[in-house]
Amino acid sequence: MTPPHQKHFHTSNPEEATAINRSLPEFAAAQTTDEDEYFANHQPPTYLPEIEEEVRGFVAFHQQTTGKRLALVTSGGTTVPLENNTVRFIDNFSAGTRGATSAEYFLENGYAVIFLHREFSLLPYSRHFSHSTNCFLDYMTERDNKIEIDPKYSAEMLKVYRKYNEAQDSNSLLLIPYTTVNQYLYTLKTISEALKIYQNKAVFYLAAAVSDFFIPQSRMPQHKIQSSATTDGELVIRLAAVPKFLSRLVDNWSLGAMIISFKLETDNNLLIKKAKSALERYHHQLVIGNLLQTRKKEVVFVSPGREEWIRLSDEEIANGKEIESEMIPAVIKHHDDWIQASK
Ligand SMILES: CC(C)(COP(=O)(O)O)[C@@H](O)C(=O)NCCC(=O)N[C@@H](CSSC[C@H](N)C(=O)O)C(=O)O
């Protein structure tokens, strides 16, 4: 690893001077911001062109055929690898419940959904019978030497099965995975640019738990860090700040879409203040604030000059009500207003 005080040179990326299209009239040298610097110095995922093709096909289908509104839902945590050949990584907390559940309610309200999710995190519909909460085998029973759905659960499962099939048959749900924060940023940028043609009929619902710090490619060890490489048994890691992509998303990557970010806090005294400062900083339309410890019970919608709490009672929770069943209709009302105002 190069000593931290030395400047890093990236020979594999075009020099800034060659980044300008010489066939056009003379332009000032491209001013690189942190975000541009990031994309100039980090390789895109090799599979990105295939994802772009799938997304553009999905968007074109709904624009030309169904006319549905479109929600981009991001879900799950992003990882920060510590080595190129990754053995260790830093993860962000998120099971994917918020995103997967919200995607179901967008679909139920007539939206098409692009679900940009952490690979192996919870997915719409299958989340009901998923690996961690309820193992699908618990819904089965053996009869006459055959395995079948336990009649106790068949009505509930049939409801989910029908919604799942409806989403498939109408081509209304596109699942796009990521794992690392780099894959997330490149894929989000690609999807955002593909959604420009959708303009105000698109809504970005950014529920993914995105890393705030990472190890830049130029500082990334190639192979597994050996404990012998540590100084007196301690491993010192120096992380850089992940570029504030939200400002780029609002200012450049998207065009006319309504943008909703989430603010996750653990201290209630900070929640509203931090949500408001995110809104002021990024100039998007809505921040949904939630506390880690009460995120399934209450959220607060913070928009310019407004704070709206959505809360479930203990009885509603005991009866299986999901807070997203109230959040998404409220989001759609904000989207209605956004479309109206931007006509
Ligand atoms: C992750 C949860 C809590 C859902 O949990 P599961 O149901 O278990 O999946 C979600 O509701 C949420 O708050 N998501 C957003 C969490 C988050 O990381 N928000 C960022 C803002 S979006 S990341 C934006 C980036 N840091 C930047 O400033 O550009 C923050 O709070 O700072």
Side-chain angles (χ1 to χ4, degrees), residues 37-216:
E37 191 80 18
Y38 174 86
F39 289 107
N41 293 307
H42 289 81
Q43 296 303 316
T46 50
Y47 56 75
L48 199 58
E50 293 160 78
I51 283 196
E52 178 167 12
E53 191 184 342
E54 255 199 281
V55 169
R56 288 188 180 279
F58 185 81
V59 173
F61 169 74
H62 285 289
Q63 192 181 41
Q64 292 152 19
T65 314
T66 68
K68 283 186 173 182
R69 291 182 186 182
L70 210 155
L72 167 62
V73 177
T74 68
S75 178
T78 62
T79 67
V80 170
L82 299 191
E83 306 114 338
N84 251 336
N85 291 282
T86 306
V87 168
R88 302 179 186 86
F89 55 85
I90 299 171
D91 205 348
N92 268 50
F93 165 81
S94 172
T97 311
R98 177 78 82 220
T101 309
S102 300
E104 287 182 28
Y105 287 107
F106 272 118
L107 287 159
E108 241 171 77
N109 282 278
Y111 279 65
V113 173
I114 298 175
F115 190 62
L116 176 58
H117 65 285
R118 166 71 175 276
E119 191 169 20
F120 309 124
S121 68
L122 293 175
L123 294 175
Y125 307 115
S126 62
R127 71 179 175 94
H128 296 275
F129 320 107
S130 73
H131 41 305
S132 55
T133 36
N134 314 301
C135 169
F136 78 97
L137 294 172
D138 294 335
Y139 290 87
M140 302 295 179
T141 183
E142 184 174 349
R143 192 192 303 268
D144 308 333
N145 205 23
K146 282 194 305 243
I147 186 91
E148 59 184 37
I149 300 284
D150 185 329
K152 274 207 305 288
Y153 304 111
S154 58
E156 176 206 347
M157 289 185 82
L158 181 60
K159 268 194 289 184
V160 176
Y161 177 77
R162 282 176 173 157
K163 287 176 189 170
Y164 169 74
N165 263 348
E166 162 55 28
Q168 304 297 320
D169 294 347
S170 59
N171 185 28
S172 294
L173 175 59
L174 179 63
L175 302 178
I176 304 282
Y178 68 81
T179 299
T180 68
V181 64
N182 185 58
Q183 290 169 342
Y184 174 83
L185 292 175
Y186 264 106
T187 311
L188 179 64
K189 183 167 184 278
T190 299
I191 295 173
S192 310
E193 283 158 354
L195 277 175
K196 279 182 173 173
I197 57 168
Y198 231 77
Q199 303 207 10
N200 61 13
K201 282 182 67 181
V203 58
F204 286 53
Y205 185 88
L206 303 172
V210 183
S211 321
D212 280 319
F213 299 98
F214 78 120
I215 296 183

Side-chain angles (χ1 to χ4, degrees), residues 75-76 92-99 206-212 243-247 261-265 281-282 288 290 292 295-296:
S75 178
N92 268 50
F93 165 81
S94 172
T97 311
R98 177 78 82 220
L206 303 172
V210 183
S211 321
D212 280 319
K244 294 300 170 200
F245 71 89
L246 216 40
S247 55
S261 71
F262 277 73
K263 179 46 74 183
L264 173 61
E265 294 298 338
R281 178 173 188 178
Y282 299 117
I288 301 179
N290 54 178
L292 188 63
R295 69 188 188 281
K296 293 180 190 263

